[in-house]
Amino acid sequence: VLDGRVGAVLAVSVIHALAAIPWVVLIVSLGLVHIHRGQEETALIDGGPWHWLRFGLAPKLRIWIAASCLWCFVPVLTEMVVTNLYQVPTVAEQVYLDASRGELSPWTYIAAVALCALPLLLAGGWWRRRQVPWSDLVYRAAHHRGERLTLGSARPLVGLGLWCVVLLLVALPLVNLLIKAGWQPQMAATGESQFGWSWTRLATTFAESITLYQDHFVWSALLAAGSTGLAAALAIGLRGWLSVSSSAVGGHGPTVINSIALAMIAVPGPLAGMLIIALMNRSQPAWLGMLYDRTLTAPILAQQFRIFPLAWVLSGTVLANLSRGVWEQALLDGLGPWQRITHVVWPQTWSRWLLMLLILFVMSIGELSCTILVLPPGVTTLSMRLFEMLHFGMRHQDSGLCFLLIGLSWLVSLLAWKTLNER
């Protein structure tokens, strides 16, 4: 039993670590961009690469490495999908089990707040006090032009190592999915069952993934559209309100909203669903119960705990790409708030706003922890169906759905790459 528990914990740790790699790369890259290039060159000249790495780069990246570690903790403390599959009793998993069995008690909420939300809030607040202004960081990253790193004779070795990492992280999982999608039983002449792989089975799996789950695609798209629209409207509306009323909440408007967004991220997913149930699952007023039972209002609201913080950060990122000179010129020209939006912001950033909506849409499709307890009767999303398949061992269909979701995310990544590389 102990060996099984250790193996399950290791498996969950590896899965969460693989999912965190892109975020860690992004956060550390922001830290690298923020480091002054002149200081790097001085350290290289004075002491060489090792001196630069030890005394120049590492000390300046400590806060960014700490932020990466903090971000890695977030899904471990707040998500329950992976831990449920491997039966690892985390706090979020226990909240989900208690809620699904109807055994919630006040101690459930106390444990979730004390062990998940409070540590993340304290760590996030500590990091926010030490980071540079987000607008300055984004503007510097947007206008940063990296230089080619000269590796000399070590270039082939480093290139080989990078390709091995890519094969390990990307190619092997995809090959595994292909094998499962094309694997089928066959009856031998002796009457025994044999298993083999065929292109026909692979094509059938892909076709079934599209035709058998059309309703799931529709429900997922509707839920993602509603969650994305609400989160984007809230984030953009709050940004506009803060730009017009600079003295909002005593001048601390951005800090208040940042704190709210951080608190939403820190809430365990199943607990967010329970909060929505407590708000909407009631007989009076009748319209509230109707919205809970017959519409997607409950899962849309539950997903805001994950989608709105991302929308808030992305909206600030889009606006930070506009130089201060543009804003100053708009003010000198006497443009009002609406004119600044139509004549300054939208013409220069419309492609990035559309990209933001696509990112939120994809994140909503993959989200499950917050919505698993509040989906209305008769509504099953792709993430929910895939969650059930992984429990029941339906290897053909889950592989096909995984490929479709991977293709969707890669399409958004391609659009993001082309948008961000526009001149």
Side-chain angles (χ1 to χ4, degrees):
V1 175
L2 181 60
D3 292 340
R5 282 293 180 88
V6 172
V9 171
L10 289 176
V12 171
S13 301
V14 170
I15 293 172
H16 277 297
L18 293 176
I21 288 176
W23 296 103
V24 173
V25 171
L26 176 61
I27 294 172
V28 175
S29 298
L30 291 176
L32 290 172
V33 170
H34 185 65
I35 297 176
H36 195 275
R37 180 57 59 87
Q39 296 176 354
E40 295 183 16
E41 295 176 352
T42 302
L44 284 171
I45 294 173
D46 292 343
W50 287 111
H51 178 84
W52 162 72
L53 180 63
R54 181 178 179 183
F55 299 102
L57 185 62
K60 294 183 179 297
L61 284 181
R62 282 183 296 188
I63 185 65
W64 301 98
I65 295 175
S68 302
C69 295
L70 173 61
W71 189 256
C72 292
F73 276 114
V74 170
V76 174
L77 295 178
T78 60
E79 302 299 314
M80 44 62 61
V81 176
V82 179
T83 55
N84 185 266
L85 290 172
Y86 289 90
Q87 299 181 0
V88 176
T90 62
V91 176
E93 169 67 11
Q94 193 61 46
V95 172
Y96 169 69
L97 292 177
D98 290 348
S100 60
R101 293 192 296 249
E103 300 176 356
L104 278 177
S105 68
W107 287 107
T108 303
Y109 296 96
I110 294 174
V113 172
L115 300 178
C116 294
L118 187 59
L120 291 178
L121 284 172
L122 293 176
W126 169 83
W127 185 76
R128 276 201 72 253
R129 293 175 63 88
R130 286 159 175 78
Q131 72 161 352
V132 298
W134 181 250
S135 58
D136 295 343
L137 183 62
V138 172
Y139 185 77
R140 179 175 294 185
H143 294 81
H144 176 76
R145 293 295 178 265
E147 298 181 4
R148 183 182 297 273
L149 183 63
T150 303
L151 299 176
S153 58
R155 183 181 180 86
L157 183 61
V158 173
L160 178 62
L162 290 176
W163 277 111
C164 290
V165 171
V166 171
L167 290 175
L168 179 64
L169 298 180
V170 180
L172 288 182
L174 291 179
V175 170
N176 181 42
L177 289 177
L178 279 175
I179 292 175
K180 291 198 302 180
W183 203 257
Q184 67 174 357
Q186 297 175 343
M187 185 68 67
T190 58
E192 297 180 352
S193 297
Q194 296 180 350
F195 292 88
W197 192 92
S198 69
W199 289 102
T200 302
R201 175 69 255 185
L202 179 65
T204 303
T205 298
F206 287 151
E208 291 176 349
S209 300
I210 298 175
T211 57
L212 295 180
Y213 305 108
Q214 293 180 358
D215 292 342
H216 304 83
F217 280 100
V218 173
W219 285 121
S220 296
L222 291 175
L223 175 58
S227 299
T228 298
L230 179 58
L234 288 173
I236 295 173
L238 289 171
R239 293 285 180 187
W241 174 62
L242 292 176
S243 64
V244 174
S245 178
S246 58
S247 60
V249 198
H252 300 289
T255 302
V256 172
I257 300 176
N258 289 337
S259 301
I260 293 174
L262 181 60
M264 295 174 72
I265 293 177
V267 174
L271 184 58
M274 292 306 301
L275 294 175
I276 300 300
I277 292 175
L279 173 65
M280 300 186 63
N281 188 19
R282 53 184 71 235
S283 58
Q284 295 296 330
W287 62 268
L288 201 59
M290 185 273 294
L291 289 177
Y292 177 79
D293 291 327
R294 301 182 183 180
T295 69
L296 294 175
T297 303
I300 287 174
L301 292 178
Q303 282 200 353
Q304 298 310 302
F305 284 83
R306 297 294 178 266
I307 305 301
F308 170 74
L310 182 59
W312 177 250
V313 173
L314 291 177
S315 62
T317 304
V318 173
L319 293 175
N321 281 276
L322 294 173
S323 64
R324 296 182 180 88
V326 173
W327 293 109
E328 294 172 356
Q329 185 62 44
L331 293 175
L332 289 175
D333 293 341
L335 298 180
W338 180 250
Q339 290 176 316
R340 290 199 294 269
I341 294 175
T342 58
H343 292 77
V344 178
V345 176
W346 180 253
Q348 298 188 43
T349 61
W350 67 269
S351 59
R352 286 175 168 81
W353 290 117
L354 295 180
L355 177 60
M356 182 189 83
L357 295 177
L358 282 175
I359 294 174
L360 296 177
F361 189 89
V362 171
M363 295 296 293
S364 175
I365 287 180
E367 202 286 318
L368 181 61
S369 292
C370 293
T371 57
I372 190 171
L373 295 174
V374 294
L375 288 174
V379 174
T380 304
T381 60
L382 287 174
S383 58
M384 185 64 190
R385 178 57 66 196
L386 188 58
F387 183 68
E388 295 173 348
M389 288 178 178
L390 292 175
H391 276 87
F392 299 148
M394 301 171 66
R395 298 308 180 193
H396 297 332
Q397 291 85 351
D398 62 28
S399 300
L401 285 180
C402 284
F403 263 110
L404 292 177
L405 295 176
I406 289 173
L408 178 62
S409 62
W410 281 4
L411 176 60
V412 174
S413 299
L414 177 62
L415 293 175
W417 178 78
K418 295 181 71 66
T419 300
L420 296 177
N421 282 277
E422 290 178 352
R423 292 296 184 266

